[in-house]
Amino acid sequence: MRASLASSSTEVSNAGFGWLAIIRIGLVQASVGALVMLATTVLNRVMVVELGLLAAIPAGLVGWHYAVQLGRPLWGHASDKGNNRTRWIIGGVAVLAAGGLLATQATILLATSFIPGFALAVLAYTLIGAGVGAGGTSALALLASGVAPQRRAAAAAVTWIMMVAGIVASAITVGALIEPFSFERLLVVASGLALAMVTLTVLATFRLERQAGRFGNAAKAGAAPDFRAALSEIWHEPAARRFTIFIFVSMIAFSMQDLILEPFAGLVFGLAPGESTQLGGQHQGGILLGMIVTGIGGSAFSGKRPDGLRIWVVSGCLLSAAALGALGLAAVAGPGWPLGINVFVLGLGNGVFAVAAIGAMMGLAGAGENTREGVRMGVWGASQAIAFGLGGLTGAVGVDIARSALGDDGTAFQLIFSIEAAAFLAAAILAIRATGGAAMRAGIANTQREQFA
């Protein structure tokens, strides 16, 4: 009986974060998503449509905020050494909120004084990138340190779904509150959003780190290899290399429409700022539904087949490509096209792809002989950040060039949407090999060895 009770106690102590704790970390991710939405969606639209600036200007600023995030490993290492991830999470979200407020003020200043406004915008987007990197990385590190290995993939999906839910809720709310549009109203709404998200983060992380300290799942014997050795191992491993390339191509395709969707709605369909912001919310709503459907489908996290994710990843890429092809037709058809439905279907395909890719990433994270999961996730996270920045910049600059060369907004957007659809088709082809069964079996086997070692 004593042995049974001891065994039961050990199982409880090693169970890791419960679902409530995972949801609390998800609230942090939702706060990050809501604040980033302001800079990448609302302010992007205002700069291009209301201020008449080139789309490359907000695209460059957003690309810069992704470039700043390449410092994620440094912030993650600092939170490891400081043994206080909560401080880094709250501090990161606070810096992000301050950056969002400065970005709003910079946008207003751009209307009258371009050079001072642009200089302030560069500073603001630097803070946004640093805030996302410090707060987001520390939140995921806390999640990894407190979640049992068998629950990591599901926990990652839940937190991403909550981040998208935060984006959707804030897009719809902000879109409604800034109407009728004025710069003064925009600043008031941005201030309220910043205060609310920082407060939510403080409440969500209150005494949460103590729970992670009880479990100690992240503490493993042996030192991780140095950074160069880890990169060398990953790049010389075919499965990891293919998956890195797949992540890069798919995330370029995923992000190309981020900075042009709302300007497209304003320039081609004549939607007001609040209406185009709500359209972005419909896109994020489709992503949310796609994630839920894929998660409930069971293939992403069941583990019954090592290559069970392949059909979900490929299907998500193909559905995204089809929806983008339809958006290309919408660009020349103009008003009257069911734009909301089209954008929702695009989000649905994006969501299916995203959750399946998360599951594949988690399965492959344990495939290395020497490198830890964190190093591999860091490599793929860096690939994702670079692709997001490059994809957004490519889409926006491409639209500017196409509008100038073709002399027609609709035709210009049709060309860019077609290129994006082709990128998703390429990602589907890459996914067939990148999510194959052999690599997934290796990841499952190594994870099991770690658990029983």
Side-chain angles (χ1 to χ4, degrees):
M1 176 64 73
R2 289 182 179 179
S4 176
L5 288 175
S7 175
S8 175
S9 175
T10 301
E11 290 177 0
V12 171
S13 66
N14 291 331
F17 277 144
W19 289 113
L20 179 59
I22 292 171
I23 290 173
R24 289 171 64 184
I25 297 178
L27 288 174
V28 174
Q29 293 292 84
S31 300
V32 171
L35 290 167
V36 171
M37 181 281 306
L38 178 69
T40 61
T41 302
V42 179
L43 299 184
N44 168 67
R45 146 76 200 228
V46 172
M47 289 183 193
V48 175
V49 179
E50 273 64 40
L51 301 183
L53 300 177
L54 292 175
I57 292 176
L61 291 170
V62 173
W64 171 243
H65 114 279
Y66 281 120
V68 173
Q69 288 185 53
L70 293 179
R72 278 177 178 263
L74 296 175
W75 293 309
H77 181 61
S79 69
D80 286 338
K81 291 176 61 178
N83 198 28
N84 190 338
R85 301 195 196 279
T86 301
R87 179 178 61 194
W88 282 87
I89 293 170
I90 296 174
V93 174
V95 169
L96 171 57
L101 287 178
L102 278 181
T104 304
Q105 187 62 59
T107 302
I108 298 172
L109 186 58
L110 282 169
T112 55
S113 303
F114 180 81
I115 294 179
F118 184 74
L120 184 60
V122 172
L123 173 61
Y125 280 80
T126 301
L127 293 178
I128 290 171
V132 172
T137 301
S138 300
L140 292 177
L142 178 60
L143 182 68
S145 66
V147 173
Q150 66 271 19
R151 194 179 281 181
R152 285 175 183 166
V158 167
T159 54
W160 197 348
I161 287 172
M162 292 188 67
M163 180 182 70
V164 174
I167 295 173
V168 172
S170 63
I172 294 174
T173 303
V174 170
L177 292 177
I178 62 175
E179 292 295 336
F181 179 78
S182 68
F183 288 132
E184 293 76 13
R185 183 180 291 270
L186 175 63
L187 186 58
V188 170
V189 172
S191 300
L193 179 66
L195 178 61
M197 294 304 100
V198 172
T199 301
L200 179 61
T201 299
V202 172
L203 295 176
T205 55
F206 182 68
R207 294 185 176 178
L208 181 61
E209 196 165 1
R210 296 183 181 180
Q211 298 183 34
R214 290 207 313 271
F215 307 131
N217 289 326
K220 295 181 180 180
D226 64 65
F227 189 63
R228 287 187 178 183
L231 286 181
S232 178
E233 178 190 329
I234 292 171
W235 190 250
H236 285 89
E237 181 184 314
R241 184 172 64 249
R242 285 196 297 263
F243 195 77
T244 302
I245 296 171
F246 159 71
I247 287 293
F248 185 77
V249 174
S250 62
M251 288 302 169
I252 283 182
F254 186 87
S255 63
M256 275 185 70
Q257 88 278 345
D258 277 0
L259 301 179
I260 64 174
L261 188 60
E262 288 209 40
F264 164 68
L267 293 170
V268 177
F269 284 80
L271 299 187
E275 293 174 324
S276 64
T277 299
Q278 290 176 344
L279 182 69
Q282 288 179 288
H283 176 242
Q284 297 296 335
I287 292 178
L288 180 60
L289 179 61
M291 289 179 170
I292 293 172
V293 168
T294 306
I296 293 177
S299 295
F301 309 115
S302 66
K304 294 180 180 178
R305 292 182 55 190
D307 61 348
L309 291 168
R310 181 184 296 176
I311 185 64
W312 291 88
V313 175
V314 173
S315 296
C317 289
L318 294 178
L319 182 58
S320 298
L324 286 163
L327 273 183
L329 297 177
V332 295
W337 186 271
L339 183 61
I341 296 175
N342 196 157
V343 169
F344 183 82
V345 173
L346 172 62
L348 183 66
N350 290 167
V352 171
F353 146 74
V355 160
I358 292 173
M361 192 180 296
M362 289 291 180
L364 285 168
E369 293 294 332
N370 298 312
T371 56
R372 294 183 177 182
E373 289 87 344
V375 178
R376 291 170 171 265
M377 294 296 289
V379 169
W380 294 327
S383 177
Q384 175 180 312
I386 295 170
F388 260 97
L390 183 60
L393 185 61
T394 300
V397 173
V399 164
D400 285 339
I401 295 174
R403 289 176 68 193
S404 177
L406 300 175
D408 179 73
D409 290 344
T411 306
F413 280 104
Q414 182 183 45
L415 175 62
I416 301 305
F417 287 141
S418 298
I419 294 173
E420 188 178 356
F424 261 119
L425 291 176
I429 295 172
L430 290 170
I432 293 175
R433 293 192 67 192
T435 57
M440 300 302 294
R441 280 192 293 271
I444 293 172
N446 283 346
T447 300
Q448 290 174 343
R449 284 198 298 272
E450 287 179 1
Q451 290 176 4
F452 291 103

